[in-house]
Each structure stands twice: as structure tokens, then as C-alpha cells.
Amino acid sequence: MASQVESSPQPTGDPLALLDPEKASRGAVEAGLVVRREHPLNCETPIPDLKGDGVTPRERFYVRNHFHIPLIDPAAYRLSVAGHVERPHSLSLHELRDMPSRTLVATLECAGNGRTLFRPEVPGEKWQLGAVSTAEWTGVPLTDVLERAGPHSGACEVLFRGADSGTVEGRSAPIRFERSLGLDDARGEVLLAYAMNGAPLPIDHGFPLRVVVPGWYAVASVKWLTEIKVLDRPFVGHYQADRYWYEWERAGRVEREPVALQKVRALITDPASGAERARGPVAIRGVAWSGAAAIARVEVWIDRVWREARLIGEPKRGSWQGWELMARFDGPGVASLRVRATDQTGETQPDHAPWNRLGYGNNSIHEVTFRVG
Ligand SMILES: Nc1nc2c(c(=O)[nH]1)N[C@H]1C(S)=C(S)[C@@H](COP(=O)(O)O)O[C@H]1N2
Ligand SMILES: [Mo]
């Protein structure tokens, strides 16, 4: 019915209710997540659960929410696709599932991961190093949905609007969680995902539909997606314009750059910081990733030398990779390890990532000390 296709669809997907916050945080604690904040729920994955040889189980996947978690009725749900397009329309969950699907493995990392390690301290969620996880996502390529809508010439960005809302500093009225991508980036490998690790998306990870932008800091991966709007001018909403910018002071001047790709980074997951190991051979393991390219090399600093670790599995952009190194420790005493990843563009990690006002992108070299008995 042409008339239906041509009329601009009403915003849909208003949440029926909010997930009971007490219940949500109890569930997270029971699942073994490290709760940093209960309302809204924000929790980290324990470092030993970051495993490079597979996906993170859904109940151990870190959770980052700016507002309370909306409950959406899947039967009433529609994704509206509108704005600067030839054919505004909306899609039910059924219609989305009937479209050709894609499955990919992608690592999501919060731009604030490692924020608490900046000195001096910066405001924001108190993340240590567990605001990163990896899942297998299944859904519809965003390009197919954009293609159906037909962006007008002059379109420059694609806006994603979540069903969650609340009030934020500096804006008088409540806002939705919204983020945009440039049209070229939106035409990349972006997924509208309805499944995570082979099961429907969990409520706290965006049920029934979320964006997944591989390689980008996860703020781009909007959860509880209800609207896609093609724009003919840059979006200036709160989470686009007021937050998620690096702000460095250099030579007395403030330099700004928007948060985009995940910076190259490696973490040591085993031994855990403070663990004990018998003297002799010790397996050192961890994960490494970079938004720009696959990992080329991981090196571990032991006894004042960088030694190259073995990468596990095929290198690929967008998802982390496991690595491993066997080393001897003839203690007793305290051993300290550092790890440094380099990606295929040649980017590597700094000893200390540059301090920035809102504490993003802290990819400083990870150091772990453990006891050798
Ligand atoms: N609708 C909505 N989408 C969102 C957010 C949010 O608060 N609301 N947080 C973003 C941020 S900052 C991160 S790091 C990721 C976290 O995804 P996860 O909770 O599935 O780990 O979701 C992103 N998408
Ligand atoms: Mo985030």
C-alpha cells in the first residue's frame, strides 16, 4: 500500500515499563558481574572472564546504561526508518527476522573503560578494566535497511534512537539515548542485531533490537533501537555533542576529537593481579584488540625484555584475539608483567594514555603483579 509507505511513520516502540532496578542489579550480582552502579545498572565483567578463545557468556557481558532499562513488547514493536529518505517505513520484528541475516563476532568496549586509572581523577562511571566483552551478534545489515528507505542526496548522517530516556546535565527536557554515524560509516559493517550468542538479545543488552558497530567504542551501538532517522545535517544531541569527545589541553589550547574507533589495547587476564603461582613455568594469557585493524603483535615485558606472545586464532578486525606466553619464574618474590599490543596499522599502546577531561580511550599499557612462591 503506497500511501502507507509514503506517510512518515510515527515514532514507535515506546517502552511499556521499566525493568525493576532492584531485580536487575540482583541478577547482575548473582551472575558474577562487578556492579559499579545500581541505578541505572552499570557493571563490569571480571577480568578472568575475558577470554580470547570464545565469546563472553551473555550473563557475564558488561552492562552500560545511561538511563533505566526499558521493557519493550516484541509483538507491538516496530522499527521506524524515516527522515531524509525516499521511502519512510517501519518494520516489525517478524519482518526484520525475515530479511537476509548476518552473524559476526564483535567486541564491545566502553569508551570509559580504564577511566579510574587516569590521574588526576576524572568524572564519569568508575570503570576499571572490565567494561569490555565479546559476543556473536546476528541481525540485519544496516545497509539493507537503508537501501530499502533510499537516502536522499544530501543525506549525511544516520541517527539511531533508543527507547530509554531521562534527564541529563545541561538540557532542560528529558532526552532519549541517541547517537548518529556518518553515512559512509553507516554503510560499513553495521548490524541491527536481534540475537546475541545465538539467543534473543537479553533485555539489558537492548532487546528486541540494537545496533552493533564493530570496532567502534560501544556508545555507537545503540540498544533498544526504535528509530532510524536519516539526517541532512550533523546531529548535535547530548551524547553526540556534549559527551564522547576527547578533550586534551595542548600548549595551552583545548583540542577536541570525537570518540570513534576502539584504541589498540591488550589485557593480561591470567595470572590475575595479586595471584600466587608456584615457581617454574607460568602460562601468561590475555586478550588484545583494536578498532582500526587486526592485531599484529602482542609483547609481554618480563625481566626487562619484551617477549612476543603467541596469537591464538585468526587475526580479525572488530573482535578481540587471545594470546599466550609461557615463561619461567624462579622466585620466591613478586613478579611484574606488562603487555603491549600493536595492530596491523602499526599503532601501539602508550605507557600512559593522554589524560583527557572526560576520561575516554585509556589504552595505557596494562601491568599485573603476582607472587611467585
Ligand atoms: N539505548 C542505549 N544504548 C546504549 C547505551 C545506553 O545507555 N542506551 N549505552 C551505550 C554505551 S556507552 C555502551 S558502552 C554500550 C554498552 O552495551 P552493553 O550494555 O550491551 O554492554 O551500549 C551503548 N548503547
Ligand atoms: Mo560506553
Side-chain angles (χ1 to χ4, degrees):
M1 293 194 298
S3 63
Q4 229 180 11
V5 170
E6 274 154 27
S7 71
S8 190
Q10 290 300 306
T12 51
D14 281 339
L16 292 175
L18 300 172
L19 186 62
D20 174 8
E22 307 295 334
K23 205 172 136 193
S25 79
R26 254 198 329 270
V29 171
E30 281 162 16
L33 287 166
V34 184
V35 176
R36 294 279 169 232
R37 190 149 65 121
E38 292 194 320
H39 310 312
L41 184 64
N42 280 289
C43 23
E44 296 191 30
T45 305
I47 300 297
D49 284 319
L50 307 177
K51 295 202 171 83
D53 57 356
V55 297
T56 312
R58 51 184 270 183
E59 58 287 351
R60 288 284 169 93
F61 201 102
Y62 85 97
V63 178
R64 198 314 179 217
N65 296 315
H66 292 80
F67 304 126
H68 291 307
I69 299 172
L71 288 173
I72 294 174
D73 174 4
Y77 173 85
R78 295 195 78 80
L79 170 68
S80 141
V81 188
H84 215 57
V85 296
E86 305 281 340
R87 296 172 295 277
H89 63 283
S90 75
L91 296 160
S92 69
L93 215 47
H94 262 297
E95 289 167 319
L96 285 158
R97 290 212 190 93
D98 280 346
M99 290 175 70
S101 73
R102 246 205 98 191
T103 294
L104 53 83
V105 175
T107 295
L108 297 190
E109 182 187 16
C110 184
N113 196 26
R115 173 180 287 133
T116 53
L117 306 175
F118 277 122
R119 292 292 174 275
E121 275 184 34
V122 282
E125 286 302 299
K126 299 282 177 224
W127 298 121
Q128 293 187 15
L129 291 167
V132 58
S133 299
T134 298
E136 183 193 81
W137 309 94
T138 301
V140 178
L142 173 65
T143 43
D144 295 354
V145 171
L146 288 178
E147 202 57 40
R148 279 196 179 201
H152 285 309
S153 65
C156 68
E157 286 192 359
V158 180
L159 177 67
F160 304 98
R161 181 170 291 155
D164 51 334
S165 61
T167 51
V168 294
E169 190 193 323
R171 308 257 165 165
S172 50
I175 60 160
R176 294 282 196 98
F177 186 87
E178 300 171 301
R179 284 279 304 183
S180 73
L181 278 179
L183 194 57
D184 287 344
D185 291 322
R187 284 182 165 140
E189 204 193 14
V190 181
L191 205 62
L192 304 177
Y194 45 71
M196 176 182 187
N197 297 344
L201 271 185
I203 290 172
D204 41 358
H205 296 293
F207 179 83
L209 193 75
R210 81 173 300 167
V211 183
V212 173
V213 191
W216 282 59
Y217 280 116
V219 64
S221 294
V222 175
K223 305 192 278 188
W224 310 292
L225 180 71
T226 58
E227 292 172 61
I228 294 178
K229 199 169 169 192
V230 175
L231 306 180
D232 62 354
R233 66 199 62 182
F235 176 62
V236 289
H238 178 71
Y239 291 115
Q240 197 84 27
D242 310 346
R243 294 287 186 276
Y244 297 98
W245 283 76
Y246 300 104
E247 272 185 37
W248 307 281
E249 216 175 291
R250 287 179 179 151
R253 283 197 19 236
V254 175
E255 284 180 27
R256 294 179 94 225
E257 191 183 295
V259 162
L261 295 179
Q262 298 162 8
K263 293 188 183 295
V264 60
R265 180 174 220 174
L267 294 176
I268 298 165
T269 59
D270 183 22
S273 191
E276 285 215 26
R277 288 288 182 275
R279 67 188 76 173
V282 173
I284 303 161
R285 298 193 181 90
V287 286
W289 67 95
S290 166
I295 292 298
R297 184 163 71 247
V298 171
E299 297 153 291
V300 185
W301 176 257
I302 305 171
D303 284 342
R304 306 176 164 273
V305 231
W306 286 110
R307 290 177 50 189
E308 197 159 336
R310 183 175 74 83
L311 298 182
I312 300 163
E314 282 303 299
K316 53 184 182 300
R317 184 195 158 258
S319 91
W320 69 27
Q321 183 158 24
W323 56 265
E324 189 175 51
L325 180 71
M326 291 300 296
R328 274 198 76 82
F329 293 88
D330 294 321
V334 171
S336 116
L337 303 170
R338 301 203 289 154
V339 67
R340 173 174 83 181
T342 304
D343 72 17
Q344 291 183 0
T345 71
E347 275 302 311
T348 190
Q349 295 180 244
D351 285 333
H352 300 286
W355 187 94
N356 58 98
R357 187 175 68 86
L358 297 169
Y360 299 124
N362 188 349
N363 68 334
S364 302
I365 283 179
H366 186 210
E367 187 165 343
V368 159
T369 51
F370 66 102
R371 301 193 65 79
V372 180

